[in-house]
Amino acid sequence: MSAAVFSPEVIEIMCAALEASINSLPEPVSATQVHCLAESILDAASRGERDVAVLERIAPVEMRLLPRG
Protein backbone atom coordinates (compact mmCIF):
# COMPACT_ATOMS: atom_id res chain seq x y z
CA MET A 1 0.00 0.00 0.00
CA SER A 2 1.29 3.46 -0.83
CA ALA A 3 1.53 6.27 1.68
CA ALA A 4 -2.07 7.47 1.68
CA VAL A 5 -3.20 10.63 3.44
CA PHE A 6 -6.66 10.62 5.01
CA SER A 7 -8.76 13.51 6.26
CA PRO A 8 -9.93 13.48 9.89
CA GLU A 9 -13.43 12.56 8.68
CA VAL A 10 -12.16 9.52 6.81
CA ILE A 11 -10.08 8.48 9.81
CA GLU A 12 -13.25 8.60 11.93
CA ILE A 13 -15.05 6.43 9.37
CA MET A 14 -12.19 3.93 9.34
CA CYS A 15 -12.08 3.81 13.16
CA ALA A 16 -15.81 3.17 13.34
CA ALA A 17 -15.54 0.41 10.74
CA LEU A 18 -12.62 -1.19 12.58
CA GLU A 19 -14.41 -1.12 15.92
CA ALA A 20 -17.55 -2.64 14.42
CA SER A 21 -15.52 -5.29 12.58
CA ILE A 22 -13.69 -6.26 15.77
CA ASN A 23 -16.98 -6.47 17.65
CA SER A 24 -18.34 -8.83 14.98
CA LEU A 25 -15.63 -11.42 15.67
CA PRO A 26 -16.00 -14.15 18.26
CA GLU A 27 -13.89 -13.76 21.41
CA PRO A 28 -10.99 -13.89 21.91
CA VAL A 29 -9.83 -11.53 19.17
CA SER A 30 -6.11 -11.70 18.48
CA ALA A 31 -3.78 -8.85 17.61
CA THR A 32 -3.22 -10.55 14.25
CA GLN A 33 -6.93 -10.45 13.50
CA VAL A 34 -7.12 -6.75 14.43
CA HIS A 35 -4.10 -6.05 12.21
CA CYS A 36 -5.70 -7.88 9.26
CA LEU A 37 -8.98 -5.99 9.71
CA ALA A 38 -7.18 -2.64 9.92
CA GLU A 39 -5.09 -3.42 6.86
CA SER A 40 -8.18 -4.33 4.86
CA ILE A 41 -9.99 -1.15 5.91
CA LEU A 42 -6.96 1.01 5.08
CA ASP A 43 -6.66 -0.64 1.68
CA ALA A 44 -10.34 -0.14 0.82
CA ALA A 45 -10.26 3.47 2.05
CA SER A 46 -7.16 4.18 -0.01
CA ARG A 47 -9.15 3.00 -3.06
CA GLY A 48 -11.83 5.56 -2.23
CA GLU A 49 -14.39 3.64 -0.17
CA ARG A 50 -16.02 5.97 2.37
CA ASP A 51 -19.11 4.06 3.49
CA VAL A 52 -18.54 2.81 7.03
CA ALA A 53 -20.99 -0.08 6.54
CA VAL A 54 -19.15 -1.25 3.42
CA LEU A 55 -15.78 -1.01 5.14
CA GLU A 56 -17.19 -2.91 8.11
CA ARG A 57 -18.46 -5.73 5.87
CA ILE A 58 -15.39 -5.94 3.61
CA ALA A 59 -12.80 -6.32 6.36
CA PRO A 60 -13.96 -9.63 7.92
CA VAL A 61 -14.65 -11.12 4.49
CA GLU A 62 -11.16 -10.30 3.26
CA MET A 63 -9.70 -11.65 6.48
CA ARG A 64 -11.43 -15.00 5.88
CA LEU A 65 -9.94 -15.14 2.38
CA LEU A 66 -6.35 -14.79 3.62
CA PRO A 67 -4.28 -17.97 3.47
CA ARG A 68 -3.68 -19.52 6.87
CA GLY A 69 -0.25 -20.68 7.73
Side-chain angles (χ1 to χ4, degrees), residues 42-65:
L42 282 167
D43 185 53
S46 71
R47 291 190 313 264
E49 184 57 61
R50 298 297 185 261
D51 186 327
V52 68
V54 172
L55 292 170
E56 177 187 341
R57 284 191 309 267
I58 288 173
V61 170
E62 287 187 359
M63 189 174 71
R64 284 185 217 115
L65 296 175

Side-chain angles (χ1 to χ4, degrees), residues 12-31:
E12 286 182 33
I13 290 168
M14 291 188 300
C15 288
L18 179 60
E19 184 175 338
S21 294
I22 292 168
N23 290 334
S24 75
L25 296 177
E27 294 285 336
V29 178
S30 71

